[in-house]
């Protein structure tokens, strides 16, 4: 009897027992190779396993196969997680670009809309459709910006400028949130500070917005400082104040957007430090960001045709805090890179946050500051008919409009208080025992702002800060009392015009000046080293001796 021929079945060494199917016998002498793909249960994608390099004892064991498969599964899961993290990071870092990808008003950055007439970004439907048809939506100026450009005071930030806010307003928190992404960007920050309100506009928590990005500090409106001011002293004073903030500042620039003083130095520094990064203009509300950008484009346009074209559609300038309500992208560099005008950071502790929009122009100095000094002689001239004993300024109160009241509790007979701020706010001096009555009678009249409709709801000067100022030299000012959002008061133990005054004439116990400063509730008061302004400032200012390490790490200033 002839024996039956059996077929030979070869099995892949990569298959587990439960994956085998029993092959049927056939008469063919050719071997049947049974294969099955191993599919991951996690992501349903085939996993390739290296083929066996041998048979018998050289073949991989089941344990080797299992470990190799688990390793491939782990690597696949890790790749998926990396992709998810990358997508999340790209989504966060591109928040500003996403915001600017939609069409916005080139004047204020508000997204264009045709539904709410009173809201920022409103455009008449006919105009919108026409511009859309011709692909010119980037050239539209919204209705609010048109009013601002004609001198109307139209605020858009709820809770600022005397408004309670509503659906037509954005909040200060929303504007700040639009800047949060900067800490994740690789950018160059140009931070603006107003020299008239240096402490109030500095942004104490700027690191929360800028992160570790390098900063170019630009001090604006230096053309408003008194005549004969020595800018060497002012530059050193600004650097000293900046060093105390412990920021990553590359350089300091004293500038004027109106006269273009110092703008060329900022342009040169930006082009040097930009290194392919975008440039963000950052600062407090109403510090002059839009005016600075216009001056920047004007300076760049001499050699850069891209900047010259960008000047045609430049941001709107106005005295209203919150003029810019969205990021404005500006193509300003021929070799690529963009400049972003960002919404101003609204600070509740500045005077602009407590007065009505109609009074905002009064807070903005429009000409060179000229300090107004109060001395013993001025008191005698104004109150010579009063039957009272005069001991200099002691016992008198000075009103700075309706926003500040200074009570002089103790001072030397020759002491002097010099006020630097907008000329629209008038100064009045009265005996302290008559100050309350005088304020109630004249607020909104002689003492303004506040004015108009705000007077009826004005709560007065609720915050009182008691200052005891010690000094050890009568030949230089003791300090500055800076009022956030307004200006500053230089406190001089002895008037600088009295050259014959000597420290020996002052007793030790008398070397103190006591003041009570009254301001509206949210407004802050800063005590700082005196800012050296005017001709006399250059005479009494003292430069500090620096160590070698300080010389290396200290930022340079330019003017």
């Amino acid at each position: 009897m002839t024996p039956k021929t059996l077929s030979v079945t070869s099995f892949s060494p990569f298959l587990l027992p439960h994956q085998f199917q029993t092959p049927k016998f056939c008469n063919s002498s050719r071997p049947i190779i049974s294969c099955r793909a191993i599919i991951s249960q996690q992501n349903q994608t085939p996993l390739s396993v290296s083929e066996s390099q041998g048979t018998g004892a050289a073949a991989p064991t089941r344990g080797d196969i299992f470990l190799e498969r688990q390793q491939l599964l782990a690597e696949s899961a890790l790749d998926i997680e990396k992709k998810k993290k990358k997508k999340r990071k790209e989504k966060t870092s591109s928040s500003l670009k996403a915001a600017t990808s939609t069409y916005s008003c080139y004047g204020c950055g508000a997204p264009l809309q045709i539904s709410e007439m009173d809201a920022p970004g409103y455009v008449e439907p006919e105009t919108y459709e026409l511009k859309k048809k011709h692909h010119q939506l980037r050239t539209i100026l919204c209705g609010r910006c048109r009013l601002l450009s004609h001198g109307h005071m139209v605020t858009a930030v709820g809770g600022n400028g005397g408004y309670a806010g509503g659906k037509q307003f954005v909040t200060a928190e929303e504007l700040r949130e639009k800047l949060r992404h900067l800490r994740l960007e690789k950018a160059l920050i140009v931070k603006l500070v107003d020299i008239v309100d240096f402490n109030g506009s500095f942004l104490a928590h700027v690191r929360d917005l800028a992160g570790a990005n390098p900063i170019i500090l630009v001090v604006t409106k230096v053309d408003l400082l008194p005549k004969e001011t020595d800018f060497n002293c002012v530059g050193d004073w600004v650097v000293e104040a900046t060093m105390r903030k412990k920021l990553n500042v590359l350089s300091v620039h004293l500038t004027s957007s109106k006269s273009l003083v110092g703008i060329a130095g900022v342009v040169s520094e930006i082009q040097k430090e930009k290194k392919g990064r975008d440039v963000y203009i950052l600062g407090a509300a109403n510090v002059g960001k839009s005016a600075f950008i216009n001056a920047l484009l004007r300076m760049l346009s001499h050699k850069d045709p891209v900047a010259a074209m960008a000047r045609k559609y430049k941001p709107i300038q106005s005295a209203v805090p919150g003029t810019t309500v969205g990021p404005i992208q500006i193509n300003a560099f021929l070799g690529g890179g963009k400049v972003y005008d960002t919404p101003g950071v609204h600070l509740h502790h500045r005077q602009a946050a407590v007065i009505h929009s109609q009074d905002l122009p009064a807070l903005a100095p429009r000409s060179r500051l000229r300090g107004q000094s109060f001395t013993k002689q001025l008191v005698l001239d104004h109150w010579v008919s009063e039957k009272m004993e005069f001991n200099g300024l002691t016992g008198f109160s000075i009103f700075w409009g309706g926003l500040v009241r200074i009570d002089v509790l103790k001072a030397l007979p020759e002491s002097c208080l010099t006020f630097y701020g907008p000329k629209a706010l008038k100064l009045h001096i009265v005996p302290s025992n008559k100050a309350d009555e005088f304020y109630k009678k004249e607020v909104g009249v002689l003492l303004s702002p506040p004015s108009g409709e705000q007077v009826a709801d004005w709560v007065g000067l609720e915050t009182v800060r008691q200052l005891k100022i010690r000094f050890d030299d009568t030949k230089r000012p003791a300090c500055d009392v800076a009022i956030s959002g307004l200006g500053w008061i230089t406190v001089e133990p002895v008037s600088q015009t009295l050259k014959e005054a000597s420290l020996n004439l002052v007793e030790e116990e008398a070397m103190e000046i006591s003041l009570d400063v009254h301001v509206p509730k949210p407004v802050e008061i800063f005590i700082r080293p005196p800012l050296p302004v005017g001709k006399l400032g250059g005479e009494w200012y003292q430069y500090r001796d620096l160590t070698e390490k300080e010389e290396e790490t200290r930022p340079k200033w330019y003017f």
Side-chain angles (χ1 to χ4, degrees):
M1 181 176 178
T2 305
K4 296 181 179 180
T5 302
L6 298 177
S7 61
V8 180
T9 304
S10 297
F11 299 103
S12 170
F14 304 108
L15 301 178
L16 297 181
H18 70 275
Q19 295 171 316
F20 288 127
Q21 293 182 359
T22 306
K24 295 181 179 180
F25 292 102
C26 62
N27 294 329
S28 173
S29 60
R30 299 177 66 181
I32 300 174
I33 301 176
S34 177
C35 299
R36 177 177 295 182
I38 301 175
I39 300 178
S40 169
Q41 298 294 331
Q42 181 176 355
N43 52 19
Q44 299 299 315
T45 56
L47 298 176
S48 61
V49 182
S50 59
E51 296 185 359
S52 173
Q53 299 298 322
T55 58
T61 65
R62 293 178 180 177
D64 294 335
I65 297 169
F66 177 78
L67 291 176
E68 186 172 357
R69 185 175 62 176
Q70 293 301 316
Q71 183 178 0
L72 290 173
L73 288 173
E75 291 176 355
S76 177
L78 185 62
D79 290 340
I80 293 173
E81 185 64 26
K82 286 182 178 179
K83 290 179 180 178
K84 287 182 179 179
K85 288 183 178 180
K86 186 177 180 180
K87 287 181 179 179
R88 285 197 298 265
K89 186 175 181 180
E90 289 176 352
K91 183 179 179 180
T92 304
S93 63
S94 63
S95 59
L96 181 67
K97 294 178 177 61
T100 55
S101 62
T102 58
Y103 292 105
S104 302
C105 168
Y106 72 81
C108 66
L112 298 177
Q113 51 92 13
I114 58 175
S115 56
E116 297 183 38
M117 186 176 296
D118 294 333
Y122 175 78
V123 181
E124 293 181 356
E126 297 80 6
T127 304
Y128 184 87
E129 293 299 330
L130 181 63
K131 293 291 186 180
K132 182 179 179 181
K133 180 180 178 181
H134 295 284
H135 305 285
Q136 296 177 340
L137 289 177
R138 296 187 185 277
T139 66
I140 291 183
L141 199 64
C142 72
R144 172 175 172 266
C145 285
R146 292 184 183 277
L147 292 175
L148 289 172
S149 63
H150 287 83
H152 294 269
M153 308 303 291
V154 186
T155 185
V157 182
N160 288 267
Y163 289 101
K167 69 176 183 179
Q168 70 270 35
F169 298 106
V170 295
T171 64
E173 290 73 20
E174 289 173 341
L175 291 182
R176 186 181 286 265
E177 193 64 30
K178 293 181 180 181
L179 303 174
R180 295 289 184 191
H181 70 93
L182 283 181
R183 57 175 18 177
L184 303 175
E185 297 276 349
K186 290 184 178 179
L188 177 63
I189 306 297
V190 178
K191 181 180 179 304
L192 269 60
V193 181
D194 185 350
I195 190 62
V196 180
D197 184 27
F198 185 86
N199 298 82
S201 65
F202 196 89
L203 298 181
H205 302 290
V206 67
R207 253 186 306 216
D208 295 341
L209 301 176
N213 287 312
I215 297 173
I216 297 175
L217 183 67
V218 176
V219 181
T220 62
K221 306 178 184 178
V222 297
D223 57 322
L224 296 178
L225 294 179
K227 288 184 177 181
E228 299 182 329
T229 295
D230 187 343
F231 286 100
N232 289 310
C233 301
V234 174
D236 186 76
W237 183 93
V238 170
V239 172
E240 284 288 329
T242 304
M243 291 291 289
R244 289 191 286 269
K245 305 292 184 180
K246 297 181 179 179
L247 299 176
N248 182 19
V249 175
L250 300 176
S251 58
V252 176
H253 299 261
L254 306 183
T255 68
S256 168
S257 300
K258 183 178 180 180
S259 63
L260 299 184
V261 169
I263 300 297
V266 180
V267 171
S268 176
E269 187 75 4
I270 289 176
Q271 292 176 331
K272 173 185 173 183
E273 299 292 343
K274 186 165 68 73
K275 299 176 182 177
R277 297 173 291 193
D278 290 333
V279 180
Y280 294 83
I281 312 300
L282 186 66
N286 223 35
V287 79
K289 295 186 301 300
S290 297
F292 171 77
I293 289 178
N294 293 338
L296 192 72
L297 293 176
R298 182 178 172 186
M299 186 65 66
L300 283 169
S301 63
H302 294 303
K303 297 182 179 180
D304 191 340
V306 175
M309 185 176 296
R311 286 190 66 193
K312 187 175 180 180
Y313 304 106
K314 56 189 179 183
I316 288 292
Q317 299 174 225
S318 79
V320 178
T323 299
T324 303
V325 295
I328 302 176
Q329 176 182 305
I330 304 169
N331 297 321
F333 301 106
L334 185 61
K338 300 176 179 62
V339 172
Y340 288 94
D341 185 8
T342 60
V345 180
H346 285 259
L347 305 173
H348 70 282
H349 59 74
R350 301 180 77 194
Q351 291 281 6
V354 301
I355 66 172
H356 200 278
S357 60
Q358 67 185 23
D359 291 325
L360 288 173
L363 298 184
R366 301 188 180 277
S367 59
R368 192 179 296 274
L369 300 179
R370 299 177 66 179
Q372 185 169 344
S373 299
F374 285 83
T375 61
K376 178 180 179 179
Q377 188 59 44
L378 186 142
V379 173
L380 290 172
D381 294 342
H382 281 75
W383 297 93
V384 66
S385 61
E386 293 289 323
K387 296 181 179 179
M388 57 185 298
E389 295 183 2
F390 293 98
N391 186 22
L393 298 177
T394 303
F396 280 84
S397 297
I398 304 172
F399 288 94
W400 202 354
L403 301 177
V404 182
R405 169 182 165 183
I406 308 288
D407 295 339
V408 184
L409 306 181
K410 178 184 176 183
L412 298 177
E414 298 82 10
S415 293
C416 174
L417 299 182
T418 305
F419 290 70
Y420 294 93
K423 295 178 182 178
L425 270 70
K426 303 301 181 182
L427 290 156
H428 301 273
I429 184 168
V430 296
S432 296
N433 56 8
K434 299 181 179 180
D436 291 336
E437 180 184 353
F438 179 77
Y439 187 77
K440 291 179 181 178
K441 179 182 177 181
E442 299 296 345
V443 64
V445 186
L446 286 178
L447 305 178
S448 66
S451 63
E453 299 175 357
Q454 192 181 14
V455 176
D457 301 326
W458 184 251
V459 295
L461 309 177
E462 297 180 309
T463 300
V464 182
R465 183 171 176 184
Q466 298 178 342
L467 305 178
K468 292 186 177 180
I469 302 166
R470 294 285 301 177
F471 59 90
D472 54 9
D473 188 355
T474 59
K475 295 183 179 180
R476 62 190 306 272
C479 68
D480 283 347
V481 179
I483 310 298
S484 182
L486 185 57
W488 75 93
I489 305 127
T490 299
V491 180
E492 303 175 46
V494 175
S495 175
Q496 297 296 304
T497 57
L498 301 177
K499 298 292 185 180
E500 68 277 5
S502 172
L503 182 61
N504 299 329
L505 301 177
V506 184
E507 298 179 359
E508 181 67 27
E509 59 271 14
M511 298 179 66
E512 182 180 271
I513 297 176
S514 298
L515 306 174
D516 279 355
V517 183
H518 305 248
V519 292
K521 190 172 184 178
V523 175
E524 286 193 12
I525 301 165
F526 301 94
I527 308 302
R528 69 187 191 191
L531 178 63
V533 296
K535 182 179 179 180
L536 295 175
E539 296 178 0
W540 57 255
Y541 186 75
Q542 297 177 347
Y543 292 90
R544 185 171 63 88
D545 293 332
L546 302 176
T547 63
E548 291 185 2
K549 185 177 181 180
E550 287 177 329
E551 287 282 4
E552 295 176 358
T553 59
R554 182 183 171 96
K556 306 298 182 183
W557 69 270
Y558 302 92
F559 177 64

